[in-house]
Amino acid sequence: MKNLLVAQSGGPSSAINATLAGVCQYALTNENVGRIYGAKHGIVGVLEKDLVEIGETLKSHDNLERLVHTPASALGSCRFKLKNPLEDPAQYKQIFETFKEFNIGYFVYIGGNDSMDTVHKLSEYARENNYEDIFIMGAPKTIDNDLMGMCHSPGYASAAKYIAQTVAEIWQDMKVYSMKQVIILEIMGRHTGWLTASASYATKSYDIPSLIYLPEVHFNDEKFIADVNKKLENSNAVLVCVSEGVMYENGVFVSESAENSETDAFGHKKLTGTAKSLENIVKNKIGCKTRAIEFSLIQRCAAHLASSIDLSESKLLGMISAQKAIEGVSGMVPVLNRISNNPYKVEYSCVKSNTIAGNEKFFPKNWINAEGNGVTNDFIEYVRPLIGGDKDEKAGTFLGQSKFLDLF
Amino acid sequence: MKNLLVAQSGGPSSAINATLAGVCQYALTNENVGRIYGAKHGIVGVLEKDLVEIGETLKSHDNLERLVHTPASALGSCRFKLKNPLEDPAQYKQIFETFKEFNIGYFVYIGGNDSMDTVHKLSEYARENNYEDIFIMGAPKTIDNDLMGMCHSPGYASAAKYIAQTVAEIWQDMKVYSMKQVIILEIMGRHTGWLTASASYATKSYDIPSLIYLPEVHFNDEKFIADVNKKLENSNAVLVCVSEGVMYENGVFVSESAENSETDAFGHKKLTGTAKSLENIVKNKIGCKTRAIEFSLIQRCAAHLASSIDLSESKLLGMISAQKAIEGVSGMVPVLNRISNNPYKVEYSCVKSNTIAGNEKFFPKNWINAEGNGVTNDFIEYVRPLIGGDKDEKAGTFLGQSKFLDLF
C-alpha cells in the first residue's frame, strides 16, 4: 500500500486549505492509501524531506471543517521554480528519493501557474524515467483567476467577494461628507484585471460614481485626470479602483514611473504603490481631497468573507485530484467549466498540467467598456453566482438578503 | 405636538446608524412626537435648514433593520465646531430658527467628543435664553473608545472585532513562507491606543510573535529595532501593530519625523504613514522583508464584521436618548457602565454632556506591559465580551466557535 503526499505553493488564498481538506478527505476513505503526508513549504519540503503526517489530525471531522475555513496555506508555501531535468538532474533525484523513502505513490500539488509547471515537469520525468508507481496530479488555485483551461479558479471568488463587500462599505463611508473627494483603491492583479473588476459588483449595485482600471488597458495620466474631473462634475465622491499592475503604453508600470516616485530619507528612489501614484496625480493636478487605500494581503486571506461556493468547489477539486492520482492518472489537473450562469451550473473535467503552466488568461477585451474605465454587465453575470449566491449571509453584508439603506 | 430632529456627526462607524435607528424607533412609537426629521451632515444641516423627513421610511421594519446594519452615517456627517454664543450669536439664532420653523421640540445629536460639546452649548444656550420647549440630548459614538464617563463607547466593539479578526487572518497568511519578515499594521487612534490594543485579542489567542505600540507610550526607534530583533531570534514572522498616533518623547509624531519622511517628485516633503515609517526603519536597520499595511477606512465601516452586542447597545442608547428628550431632559448623554465581565452585564445611566466634551479617556497605564510593547490580560478580559461573544458567528471567523487549524 502506498502513501499520499500533498503540498501547497504560491500565494495564499481563503480557499486553498479547502482543496487540501478535499485531498485528505478522499484519501482517508480510500483503502489503497496508507499514510497521508504534507510537505512543508511546497516542493521545497519535498526536496528537503521536510514532511509531516497529517492524516491522523484530519480524521477528526471538526479539524477537517476548521481546515476548510482556515485561510492561507496550512502546509506553508514557497515560490520555487524547478529547473529542467537536463539542467539540474540532482533536484529530480532528490525529489524521487523523498518519494521512495516515504513510500509515496500519489503526489498532489496545489497551486497556480508555476506549481502546474512543477506538476508537468515531475510527471514527464517520471514517465521518461519509468517510475511506474508514482502518480502526480495538480489542483488549481489562484485568487488572480488567470489560469487557462477553466471558467474560474478556486480562491478567486472569495477574494472577489471580499473586494465587492468592502467597496460597498467604503462607499457608505466616503459619501458622508459633502466636500469633493477621490478615493483610490489598489487591488491585486499584476497582469490581469479579474480581481479589480469584481469591485464592479458593488459599484453597479449602488450606482457608485466610479472608475475601474485594469492591466489589460494601457493607463494614461491625462485620460485619468479627465475621467476623474468628469465624474466630479456630477458627484462629490468618486471611487477609483485600480489593479496594482496597470502600466503605460511604453510598458512602464504606473507604480514605477519616475514622475510618481518618491525618495526616502537616504535619497533612494522608492517604488510607490499604484494607488499612491494616482493619489499624487489627483493631489497635484486636481487638488481635491484624496486618499489611497491598498487592500494588500487582507484581500487574499479574509476567511470570514470566503465564498461558500468557492470553498465547496475548491474542496471538490481536491477530492477529484486525489481520486485521479489514486486511479493512476498523472500530469493532469481537475478544472471547472460553466454550463450556465442562471441557474449556476458547472461541470468538472481534467486538463493537462501544461495547458495551465506558463499561460495566463486575460480579462476579456469585450467585457471592458469603450472608455476603458469600467466593465460590462457580461462580467456581472459571470461573477454574480460566485460571490452573490450565498444563502447564509449575515445581516450587514450587502451581498446578502438586503442592501444598505440610504436616507437621502 | 412637537417634532423630533436627529443628526450624526464625526467619523463614521459600523454602529452609529444603529443609534439612529434606536432614536427613530422610540420616537415612532411615542404619541407625543409628530414628524421625525434628520438633518443632513450634522449641525451644518441644522444651520442650513437642510432637513429630510425620515420617519415614514423607518416605519418599515425591514428598512429599520437595514439601517441598523448599514455602516457610516446614513444622514451624512460633518466636522464643525460651534463657536461660543458670545463669539458668534448668529449661529445660535440660525439653529433655533430652524427648530422653530420645523416645530422641533426634541433634538438628538449622535457623535463623539466635539458633538457632545455642541449638545452642551446648545442646551446651555436654550436654558439661558428661556427656550423652554426644546430638549437637546446627545448620544455617544466613537470607534476610538476615548469618551469619558462610560465603560466603552458605541462603535468601538465593531472596529475592535474587525481588527482582531483581520490580525488573525494576516497571521495565517504571513507565516506560510520560511524567510524572515516583519509586517507592520497601522491602526486608527490619534491619541489613544484602545483600537490598536484590540489586536491583542488575536495575538494572544494564536500566540503570535508580536509587538503592540500605543500612543500612551513614547516611541523610541532604538527600542523598536531591539524589540523586533529580539522577536526575530525566535520566529521568522513578526507582527507589529502600531497606533497611527505614536510619537517620540519630544512630541513629534513618528509619521512626521524628518528621518522617516519622503519627498515627492516635486521635492515636497510628504508625511508618510506611521507604519510606512516603521517599514523604512526595518528595511534600513534590520534589512529583512517587511511590509506596511494600513487598515485605513475599512476598520471603521466593516459592517459585515459588526459586533452584535455593539449594534444592540448602540440602538438602545439611541432609544434612551430619544426617550429622555421627550421626557424633557436636556444636555445629557446616556452611557453604559459595566457591572461584570463574566457574565457580561452593563447598566445604563446618563451623564452631563460636558463630562464628555473636551475630554479624552486614555488606555490605562497599568494595562500596558512593563516593556511598553504589549498589553496585559486585564484588557483581554475587558474586550472579550465586546468582540468575542457573538453566538451567531459564521465558520471562518476565529472569533466564532472554532479557531483556525495549524498543521505544524
Side-chain angles (χ1 to χ4, degrees), chain A residues 10-13 17 20 40-41 52-54 57-58 62-67 69-79 161-162 165-166 168-170 172-178 183 188 258-266 268 270-272 276 279-280 283-285 291-298 300-306 390 392-397 402-408, chain B residues 10-13 17 20 40-41 52-54 57-58 62-67 69-79 161-162 165-166 168-170 172-178 183 188 258-266 268 270-272 276 279-280 283-285 291-298 300-306 390 392-397 402-408:
Chain A
S13 88
N17 285 332
L20 175 60
K40 293 189 204 170
H41 303 292
V52 53
E53 210 273 293
I54 57 175
T57 306
L58 296 175
D62 180 52
N63 283 344
L64 199 78
E65 270 306 291
R66 281 169 64 201
L67 183 60
H69 294 284
T70 296
S73 314
L75 288 171
S77 187
C78 66
R79 298 220 179 255
K161 183 175 162 185
Y162 171 84
Q165 174 69 31
T166 307
E169 290 169 345
I170 287 176
Q172 295 299 319
D173 187 292
M174 70 183 288
K175 71 187 171 77
V176 305
Y177 295 112
S178 49
I183 285 188
M188 282 181 169
E259 201 176 337
N260 301 324
S261 75
E262 296 169 349
T263 48
D264 65 16
F266 301 83
H268 305 142
K270 290 190 47 188
L271 287 189
T272 307
K276 203 77 188 164
E279 183 196 283
N280 288 341
K283 239 181 234 167
N284 294 321
K285 307 287 181 171
R291 184 198 287 260
I293 300 177
E294 264 188 75
F295 287 162
S296 191
L297 303 184
I298 311 173
R300 72 181 191 191
C301 62
H304 66 279
L305 270 178
D390 285 5
D392 60 339
E393 287 306 338
K394 284 182 57 170
T397 52
S402 64
K403 282 170 66 176
F404 296 140
L405 185 73
D406 277 326
L407 286 177
F408 67 90
Chain B
S13 87
N17 284 332
L20 175 61
K40 293 188 203 170
H41 303 292
V52 54
E53 210 274 292
I54 57 176
T57 306
L58 297 175
D62 180 53
N63 283 344
L64 200 78
E65 270 306 292
R66 280 169 64 200
L67 182 60
H69 294 283
T70 296
S73 315
L75 287 172
S77 187
C78 66
R79 298 221 180 255
K161 183 176 162 185
Y162 171 84
Q165 174 69 30
T166 307
E169 290 168 346
I170 287 175
Q172 295 300 319
D173 186 292
M174 70 182 289
K175 70 187 173 77
V176 304
Y177 296 111
S178 49
I183 285 189
M188 282 182 171
E259 201 176 335
N260 301 324
S261 76
E262 296 169 349
T263 48
D264 66 15
F266 300 85
H268 305 141
K270 291 190 48 190
L271 287 189
T272 308
K276 203 78 189 164
E279 183 196 283
N280 288 341
K283 239 181 234 167
N284 294 321
K285 306 287 181 173
R291 183 198 287 259
I293 300 177
E294 263 188 75
F295 286 162
S296 192
L297 303 185
I298 311 172
R300 71 181 192 192
C301 62
H304 66 279
L305 271 178
D390 284 5
D392 60 338
E393 287 304 339
K394 286 182 55 171
T397 53
S402 64
K403 282 169 66 175
F404 296 140
L405 184 72
D406 277 326
L407 286 177
F408 67 89

Side-chain angles (χ1 to χ4, degrees), chain B residues 363-398:
Chain B
F363 192 85
K365 289 267 186 215
N366 58 338
W367 287 4
I368 300 173
N369 70 6
E371 288 279 307
N373 59 21
V375 302
T376 69
N377 280 328
D378 291 333
F379 172 72
I380 302 293
E381 294 311 310
Y382 166 87
V383 84
R384 178 180 288 123
L386 304 181
I387 67 178
D390 284 5
K391 296 277 186 297
D392 60 338
E393 287 304 339
K394 286 182 55 171
T397 53
F398 97 88

Side-chain angles (χ1 to χ4, degrees), chain B residues 314-359:
Chain B
S314 297
K315 191 176 171 190
L316 191 50
L317 287 173
M319 297 178 90
I320 296 172
S321 201
Q323 181 198 2
K324 294 291 173 190
I326 296 164
E327 287 173 6
V329 180
S330 215
M332 304 289 283
V333 186
V335 296
L336 303 160
N337 298 295
R338 201 175 299 197
I339 310 291
S340 77
N341 287 333
N342 192 10
Y344 176 68
K345 275 190 196 160
V346 283
E347 62 176 13
Y348 299 86
S349 63
C350 278
V351 299
K352 287 186 178 167
S353 49
N354 62 348
T355 313
I356 298 171
N359 285 318

Side-chain angles (χ1 to χ4, degrees), chain B residues 154-283:
Chain B
Y156 170 64
S158 295
K161 183 176 162 185
Y162 171 84
I163 290 162
Q165 174 69 30
T166 307
V167 164
E169 290 168 346
I170 287 175
W171 171 243
Q172 295 300 319
D173 186 292
M174 70 182 289
K175 70 187 173 77
V176 304
Y177 296 111
S178 49
M179 86 278 271
K180 294 268 174 201
Q181 67 166 319
V182 177
I183 285 189
I184 301 153
L185 303 178
E186 178 171 332
I187 299 172
M188 282 182 171
R190 200 76 183 147
H191 301 128
T192 64
W194 294 100
L195 278 176
T196 303
S198 64
S200 66
Y201 189 75
T203 60
K204 285 186 193 269
S205 291
Y206 285 89
D207 211 8
I208 301 173
S210 58
L211 297 160
I212 295 179
Y213 298 104
L214 313 184
E216 282 82 357
V217 179
H218 288 136
F219 195 83
N220 179 294
D221 287 357
E222 281 66 42
K223 174 72 166 55
F224 168 66
I225 295 163
D227 283 355
V228 173
N229 275 324
K230 196 172 162 194
K231 290 279 176 193
L232 283 171
E233 279 173 20
N234 299 312
S235 172
N236 286 331
V238 172
L239 189 66
V240 175
C241 305
V242 64
S243 289
E244 57 179 343
V246 290
M247 52 166 65
Y248 298 112
E249 201 169 359
N250 63 7
V252 173
F253 283 114
V254 169
S255 59
E256 283 178 345
S257 89
E259 201 176 335
N260 301 324
S261 76
E262 296 169 349
T263 48
D264 66 15
F266 300 85
H268 305 141
K269 187 182 147 182
K270 291 190 48 190
L271 287 189
T272 308
T274 304
K276 203 78 189 164
S277 296
L278 301 192
E279 183 196 283
N280 288 341
I281 293 174
V282 171
K283 239 181 234 167

